[in-house]
mmCIF file of all heavy atoms in Angstrom:
data_model
loop_
_atom_site.group_PDB
_atom_site.id
_atom_site.type_symbol
_atom_site.label_atom_id
_atom_site.label_comp_id
_atom_site.label_asym_id
_atom_site.label_seq_id
_atom_site.Cartn_x
_atom_site.Cartn_y
_atom_site.Cartn_z
ATOM 1 N N ILE A 18 30.277 120.589 33.260
ATOM 2 C CA ILE A 18 29.965 119.682 34.348
ATOM 3 C C ILE A 18 28.485 119.106 34.182
ATOM 4 O O ILE A 18 28.312 117.902 34.168
ATOM 5 C CB ILE A 18 30.066 120.444 35.693
ATOM 6 C CG1 ILE A 18 31.542 120.878 35.897
ATOM 7 C CG2 ILE A 18 29.620 119.526 36.868
ATOM 8 C CD1 ILE A 18 31.735 121.710 37.151
ATOM 9 N N GLU A 44 13.160 137.525 14.750
ATOM 10 C CA GLU A 44 13.773 138.456 15.670
ATOM 11 C C GLU A 44 15.274 138.200 15.822
ATOM 12 O O GLU A 44 15.725 137.075 15.540
ATOM 13 C CB GLU A 44 13.085 138.405 17.022
ATOM 14 C CG GLU A 44 11.605 138.817 17.013
ATOM 15 C CD GLU A 44 10.963 138.689 18.353
ATOM 16 O OE1 GLU A 44 11.610 138.206 19.289
ATOM 17 O OE2 GLU A 44 9.813 139.172 18.498
ATOM 18 N N GLY A 46 18.548 136.964 17.318
ATOM 19 C CA GLY A 46 18.864 135.899 18.250
ATOM 20 C C GLY A 46 18.011 134.652 18.006
ATOM 21 O O GLY A 46 18.206 133.639 18.722
ATOM 22 N N SER A 64 23.208 117.751 14.166
ATOM 23 C CA SER A 64 22.565 116.601 13.541
ATOM 24 C C SER A 64 21.647 117.159 12.457
ATOM 25 O O SER A 64 21.475 118.381 12.308
ATOM 26 C CB SER A 64 21.786 115.789 14.528
ATOM 27 O OG SER A 64 20.730 116.519 15.103
ATOM 28 N N ILE A 74 25.412 117.283 2.013
ATOM 29 C CA ILE A 74 26.734 117.880 2.304
ATOM 30 C C ILE A 74 27.162 117.681 3.745
ATOM 31 O O ILE A 74 28.328 117.943 4.066
ATOM 32 C CB ILE A 74 26.734 119.393 1.918
ATOM 33 C CG1 ILE A 74 25.810 120.194 2.869
ATOM 34 C CG2 ILE A 74 26.375 119.627 0.478
ATOM 35 C CD1 ILE A 74 25.945 121.739 2.704
ATOM 36 N N GLY A 81 35.679 117.157 -0.311
ATOM 37 C CA GLY A 81 34.405 117.182 -1.039
ATOM 38 C C GLY A 81 33.753 118.533 -0.993
ATOM 39 O O GLY A 81 33.211 119.039 -1.986
ATOM 40 N N PHE A 93 27.706 138.945 3.331
ATOM 41 C CA PHE A 93 27.758 139.261 4.729
ATOM 42 C C PHE A 93 27.165 140.648 5.000
ATOM 43 O O PHE A 93 27.073 141.508 4.091
ATOM 44 C CB PHE A 93 29.191 139.190 5.281
ATOM 45 C CG PHE A 93 29.777 137.870 5.194
ATOM 46 C CD1 PHE A 93 30.535 137.465 4.109
ATOM 47 C CD2 PHE A 93 29.576 136.967 6.240
ATOM 48 C CE1 PHE A 93 31.117 136.175 4.026
ATOM 49 C CE2 PHE A 93 30.144 135.686 6.180
ATOM 50 C CZ PHE A 93 30.902 135.324 5.052
ATOM 51 N N SER A 99 34.329 140.922 4.008
ATOM 52 C CA SER A 99 34.612 139.976 2.974
ATOM 53 C C SER A 99 35.647 140.393 1.999
ATOM 54 O O SER A 99 35.922 139.686 1.007
ATOM 55 C CB SER A 99 33.327 139.545 2.269
ATOM 56 O OG SER A 99 32.701 140.672 1.677
ATOM 57 N N PRO A 102 41.519 144.261 3.136
ATOM 58 C CA PRO A 102 41.846 145.664 3.099
ATOM 59 C C PRO A 102 43.214 146.041 2.425
ATOM 60 O O PRO A 102 43.433 147.116 2.037
ATOM 61 C CB PRO A 102 41.857 146.090 4.553
ATOM 62 C CG PRO A 102 42.195 144.800 5.272
ATOM 63 C CD PRO A 102 41.500 143.702 4.487
ATOM 64 N N GLU A 112 40.748 137.556 -7.974
ATOM 65 C CA GLU A 112 41.198 136.418 -7.208
ATOM 66 C C GLU A 112 40.551 135.097 -7.640
ATOM 67 O O GLU A 112 41.218 134.089 -7.859
ATOM 68 C CB GLU A 112 41.029 136.623 -5.719
ATOM 69 C CG GLU A 112 41.791 135.648 -4.884
ATOM 70 C CD GLU A 112 41.794 136.024 -3.432
ATOM 71 O OE1 GLU A 112 40.807 136.674 -2.964
ATOM 72 O OE2 GLU A 112 42.721 135.650 -2.700
ATOM 73 N N ASN A 130 36.649 140.189 -18.256
ATOM 74 C CA ASN A 130 35.612 139.719 -17.282
ATOM 75 C C ASN A 130 35.448 140.687 -16.085
ATOM 76 O O ASN A 130 34.359 140.957 -15.629
ATOM 77 C CB ASN A 130 35.950 138.342 -16.760
ATOM 78 C CG ASN A 130 35.446 137.259 -17.724
ATOM 79 O OD1 ASN A 130 34.298 136.875 -17.680
ATOM 80 N ND2 ASN A 130 36.327 136.745 -18.532
ATOM 81 N N MET A 132 36.133 143.931 -16.069
ATOM 82 C CA MET A 132 35.443 145.106 -16.548
ATOM 83 C C MET A 132 33.958 144.887 -16.682
ATOM 84 O O MET A 132 33.101 145.725 -16.322
ATOM 85 C CB MET A 132 36.036 145.581 -17.834
ATOM 86 C CG MET A 132 37.469 146.102 -17.733
ATOM 87 S SD MET A 132 37.657 147.510 -16.620
ATOM 88 C CE MET A 132 36.793 148.774 -17.633
ATOM 89 N N THR A 137 28.443 145.473 -14.471
ATOM 90 C CA THR A 137 27.225 144.833 -14.083
ATOM 91 C C THR A 137 26.686 145.283 -12.731
ATOM 92 O O THR A 137 25.507 145.461 -12.504
ATOM 93 C CB THR A 137 27.439 143.289 -14.068
ATOM 94 O OG1 THR A 137 27.736 142.821 -15.374
ATOM 95 C CG2 THR A 137 26.213 142.535 -13.570
ATOM 96 N N LEU A 140 29.465 149.965 -10.958
ATOM 97 C CA LEU A 140 30.649 150.736 -10.563
ATOM 98 C C LEU A 140 31.394 151.175 -11.817
ATOM 99 O O LEU A 140 31.159 150.717 -12.946
ATOM 100 C CB LEU A 140 31.588 149.959 -9.674
ATOM 101 C CG LEU A 140 31.041 149.595 -8.273
ATOM 102 C CD1 LEU A 140 31.976 148.719 -7.523
ATOM 103 C CD2 LEU A 140 30.725 150.899 -7.457
ATOM 104 N N GLU A 143 37.388 153.317 -12.678
ATOM 105 C CA GLU A 143 38.263 154.041 -11.770
ATOM 106 C C GLU A 143 38.227 153.396 -10.345
ATOM 107 O O GLU A 143 39.232 153.537 -9.582
ATOM 108 C CB GLU A 143 37.830 155.501 -11.662
ATOM 109 C CG GLU A 143 36.476 155.718 -11.020
ATOM 110 C CD GLU A 143 35.996 157.148 -11.162
ATOM 111 O OE1 GLU A 143 36.138 157.764 -12.267
ATOM 112 O OE2 GLU A 143 35.523 157.696 -10.150
ATOM 113 N N LEU A 166 29.988 137.024 -8.065
ATOM 114 C CA LEU A 166 29.630 136.648 -9.425
ATOM 115 C C LEU A 166 30.790 136.182 -10.206
ATOM 116 O O LEU A 166 30.671 135.348 -11.080
ATOM 117 C CB LEU A 166 28.987 137.898 -10.140
ATOM 118 C CG LEU A 166 27.652 138.385 -9.608
ATOM 119 C CD1 LEU A 166 27.240 139.672 -10.347
ATOM 120 C CD2 LEU A 166 26.613 137.271 -9.762
ATOM 121 N N ASN A 169 30.826 132.606 -9.810
ATOM 122 C CA ASN A 169 29.789 131.963 -10.604
ATOM 123 C C ASN A 169 29.023 130.937 -9.793
ATOM 124 O O ASN A 169 28.895 129.706 -10.139
ATOM 125 C CB ASN A 169 30.339 131.282 -11.865
ATOM 126 C CG ASN A 169 29.233 130.952 -12.870
ATOM 127 O OD1 ASN A 169 28.166 131.581 -12.895
ATOM 128 N ND2 ASN A 169 29.450 129.896 -13.673
ATOM 129 N N PRO A 170 28.415 131.342 -8.632
ATOM 130 C CA PRO A 170 27.696 130.421 -7.736
ATOM 131 C C PRO A 170 26.294 130.149 -8.276
ATOM 132 O O PRO A 170 25.782 130.814 -9.125
ATOM 133 C CB PRO A 170 27.653 131.124 -6.431
ATOM 134 C CG PRO A 170 27.553 132.553 -6.847
ATOM 135 C CD PRO A 170 28.396 132.697 -8.074
ATOM 136 N N SER A 181 23.997 147.314 7.237
ATOM 137 C CA SER A 181 25.054 148.275 7.623
ATOM 138 C C SER A 181 25.096 149.514 6.687
ATOM 139 O O SER A 181 25.971 150.377 6.871
ATOM 140 C CB SER A 181 26.386 147.613 7.648
ATOM 141 O OG SER A 181 26.724 147.180 6.370
ATOM 142 N N SER A 185 19.433 155.518 2.165
ATOM 143 C CA SER A 185 19.386 155.913 0.734
ATOM 144 C C SER A 185 20.104 154.939 -0.180
ATOM 145 O O SER A 185 19.762 154.914 -1.394
ATOM 146 C CB SER A 185 20.053 157.314 0.647
ATOM 147 O OG SER A 185 21.438 157.226 1.089
ATOM 148 N N ILE A 190 20.948 148.694 -3.597
ATOM 149 C CA ILE A 190 21.560 147.410 -3.527
ATOM 150 C C ILE A 190 20.502 146.316 -3.658
ATOM 151 O O ILE A 190 20.726 145.266 -4.312
ATOM 152 C CB ILE A 190 22.291 147.272 -2.124
ATOM 153 C CG1 ILE A 190 23.468 148.267 -2.054
ATOM 154 C CG2 ILE A 190 22.848 145.848 -1.974
ATOM 155 C CD1 ILE A 190 24.545 148.098 -3.118
ATOM 156 N N HIS A 192 17.658 146.415 -5.324
ATOM 157 C CA HIS A 192 17.239 146.356 -6.721
ATOM 158 C C HIS A 192 18.329 145.689 -7.565
ATOM 159 O O HIS A 192 18.033 144.943 -8.478
ATOM 160 C CB HIS A 192 16.920 147.773 -7.309
ATOM 161 C CG HIS A 192 15.608 148.266 -6.817
ATOM 162 N ND1 HIS A 192 14.400 147.652 -7.085
ATOM 163 C CD2 HIS A 192 15.285 149.394 -6.084
ATOM 164 C CE1 HIS A 192 13.402 148.293 -6.589
ATOM 165 N NE2 HIS A 192 13.889 149.370 -5.972
ATOM 166 N N ASP A 196 18.004 142.256 -9.836
ATOM 167 C CA ASP A 196 18.402 142.241 -11.239
ATOM 168 C C ASP A 196 19.403 141.118 -11.489
ATOM 169 O O ASP A 196 19.298 140.388 -12.476
ATOM 170 C CB ASP A 196 19.034 143.580 -11.689
ATOM 171 C CG ASP A 196 18.005 144.713 -11.716
ATOM 172 O OD1 ASP A 196 16.809 144.398 -11.820
ATOM 173 O OD2 ASP A 196 18.425 145.881 -11.686
ATOM 174 N N ASP A 211 13.357 142.644 8.594
ATOM 175 C CA ASP A 211 12.540 143.662 8.036
ATOM 176 C C ASP A 211 11.508 143.035 7.105
ATOM 177 O O ASP A 211 11.808 142.559 6.003
ATOM 178 C CB ASP A 211 13.328 144.731 7.277
ATOM 179 C CG ASP A 211 12.556 145.929 6.860
ATOM 180 O OD1 ASP A 211 11.385 145.791 6.480
ATOM 181 O OD2 ASP A 211 13.071 147.065 6.906
ATOM 182 N N GLU A 213 9.031 144.272 5.270
ATOM 183 C CA GLU A 213 8.845 144.935 3.969
ATOM 184 C C GLU A 213 9.941 144.540 2.958
ATOM 185 O O GLU A 213 9.703 144.317 1.808
ATOM 186 C CB GLU A 213 8.743 146.412 4.157
ATOM 187 C CG GLU A 213 7.453 146.881 4.804
ATOM 188 C CD GLU A 213 6.192 146.409 4.074
ATOM 189 O OE1 GLU A 213 6.164 146.470 2.854
ATOM 190 O OE2 GLU A 213 5.318 145.802 4.737
ATOM 191 N N VAL A 215 11.888 141.845 3.041
ATOM 192 C CA VAL A 215 11.707 140.387 2.719
ATOM 193 C C VAL A 215 10.599 140.206 1.721
ATOM 194 O O VAL A 215 10.708 139.467 0.776
ATOM 195 C CB VAL A 215 11.517 139.582 3.989
ATOM 196 C CG1 VAL A 215 11.152 138.147 3.612
ATOM 197 C CG2 VAL A 215 12.845 139.516 4.809
ATOM 198 N N GLY A 234 5.129 130.629 3.850
ATOM 199 C CA GLY A 234 4.039 131.026 3.052
ATOM 200 C C GLY A 234 4.412 132.024 1.965
ATOM 201 O O GLY A 234 5.554 132.390 1.831
#
Side-chain angles (χ1 to χ4, degrees):
I18 298 176
E44 296 179 353
S64 64
I74 67 171
F93 296 93
S99 58
E112 194 171 27
N130 275 278
M132 293 299 291
T137 297
L140 291 175
E143 65 190 45
L166 292 175
N169 195 28
S181 65
S185 59
I190 297 299
H192 284 300
D196 290 342
D211 189 322
E213 289 305 314
V215 168

